[in-house]
Amino acid sequence: SQKIEQNSEALNIQEGKTATLTCNYTNYSPAYLQWYRQDPGRGPVFLLLIRENEKEKRKERLKVTFDTTLKQSLFHITASQPADSATYLCALSSSSNTGKLIFGQGTTLQVKP
Amino acid sequence: EPEVTQTPSHQVTQMGQEVILRCVPISNHLYFYWYRQILGQKVEFLVSFYNNEISEKSEIFDDQFSVERPDGSNFTLKIRSTKLEDSAMYFCASTETGGNQPQHFGDGTRLSIL
């Protein structure tokens, strides 16, 4: 069955450093990969979307890579700030237009001042 | 910025009762979704809805569940004969065009079944 793995251990980094989060998947060939941020008690908030034929996407301090050979995406936050502390979710979808997202369990990032 | 709104924020219901969770998607969006998140677990897809029809549903979305767009603004999830294991956070989401677009989520309804 389809499986998405994100590092279940919390990631603790110092303010100003680059945070790198990993999303690995098996038994699936996604056409799209998205990253969301989720704060406690809130709904996911969209951050970035990357297509299978794209290697890298950037938005301000955020960068995502997508390696369909390794079946892996890396999500980077540069110059991290305490306000970046949250849980980050990886979500995959196929080329069908139904919009079904398959989520990973998320990685909690804690940025210390 | 337009938002997806969900009501109520917390619903407490006795086991076996029916519950309706309500969502108002962003006004010009055409694709609607329900997800659930059991405490401490991952967000799980329930159903997608477009043009007044279900586009796709998960194994979780059995005969106990139904969705409806009763008017031009609301999108509802009905759960019949609720069970203890239905306790979860339920999120509504919407997209403007097509399924493979960024999804805009509401802040959810926490459903507690007693």
Side-chain angles (χ1 to χ4, degrees):
Chain A
S1 63
Q2 301 156 352
K3 195 171 181 183
I4 303 171
E5 289 186 354
Q6 295 185 252
N7 193 338
S8 57
E9 291 183 11
L11 180 63
N12 295 296
I13 64 168
Q14 207 65 35
E15 182 176 8
K17 300 293 187 183
T18 296
T20 298
L21 286 69
T22 304
C23 174
N24 295 295
Y25 58 92
T26 55
N27 298 325
Y28 197 56
S29 296
Y32 303 85
L33 189 147
Q34 302 184 34
W35 283 88
Y36 287 80
R37 168 184 174 141
Q38 187 175 30
D39 291 284
R42 306 293 300 271
V45 175
F46 171 77
L47 296 174
L48 282 170
L49 179 152
I50 188 166
R51 294 170 174 77
E52 61 178 336
N53 59 351
E54 297 175 317
K55 296 292 185 189
E56 183 179 297
K57 245 337 180 18
R58 291 175 185 260
K59 179 183 175 184
E60 298 173 352
R61 295 185 295 112
L62 310 180
K63 183 178 85 171
V64 62
T65 63
F66 193 9
D67 189 326
T68 55
T69 301
L70 290 179
K71 294 186 180 292
Q72 181 182 79
S73 174
L74 298 178
F75 178 76
H76 307 271
I77 306 174
T78 57
S80 58
Q81 305 165 359
D84 295 327
S85 299
T87 296
Y88 291 86
L89 310 177
C90 167
L92 310 182
S93 60
S94 71
S95 57
S96 75
N97 205 31
T98 65
K100 173 184 175 181
L101 290 177
I102 303 172
F103 282 88
Q105 77 273 25
T107 297
T108 298
L109 172 67
Q110 187 72 36
V111 181
K112 299 182 186 237
Chain B
E1 184 173 324
E3 291 183 342
V4 174
T5 57
Q6 291 187 243
T7 55
S9 57
H10 190 191
Q11 174 81 44
V12 182
T13 301
Q14 291 290 328
M15 185 172 60
Q17 296 296 305
E18 175 181 289
V19 64
I20 297 176
L21 309 182
R22 303 182 189 278
C23 169
V24 178
I26 295 174
S27 62
N28 63 334
H29 284 193
L30 301 177
Y31 294 75
F32 314 113
Y33 315 91
W34 283 101
Y35 293 83
R36 80 173 185 189
Q37 187 174 30
I38 295 170
L39 188 63
Q41 298 188 23
K42 62 177 68 175
V43 176
E44 300 175 287
F45 171 80
L46 292 178
V47 66
S48 59
F49 190 86
Y50 169 70
N51 199 26
N52 279 322
E53 289 185 346
I54 290 175
S55 307
E56 185 170 357
K57 59 184 181 179
S58 71
E59 293 175 354
I60 303 169
F61 195 90
D62 58 20
D63 292 343
Q64 186 192 2
F65 294 86
S66 62
V67 289
E68 190 179 27
R69 185 147 164 86
D71 52 42
S73 59
N74 290 284
F75 180 51
T76 62
L77 174 69
K78 182 188 291 186
I79 310 175
R80 290 177 283 273
S81 301
T82 50
K83 299 174 278 196
L84 294 176
E85 53 264 39
D86 294 328
S87 296
M89 184 75 92
Y90 288 81
F91 293 109
C92 172
S94 67
T95 56
E96 183 178 0
T97 58
N100 290 304
Q101 297 295 321
Q103 295 191 11
H104 298 256
F105 284 79
D107 278 336
T109 293
R110 178 165 298 286
L111 178 62
S112 299
I113 307 298
L114 304 179

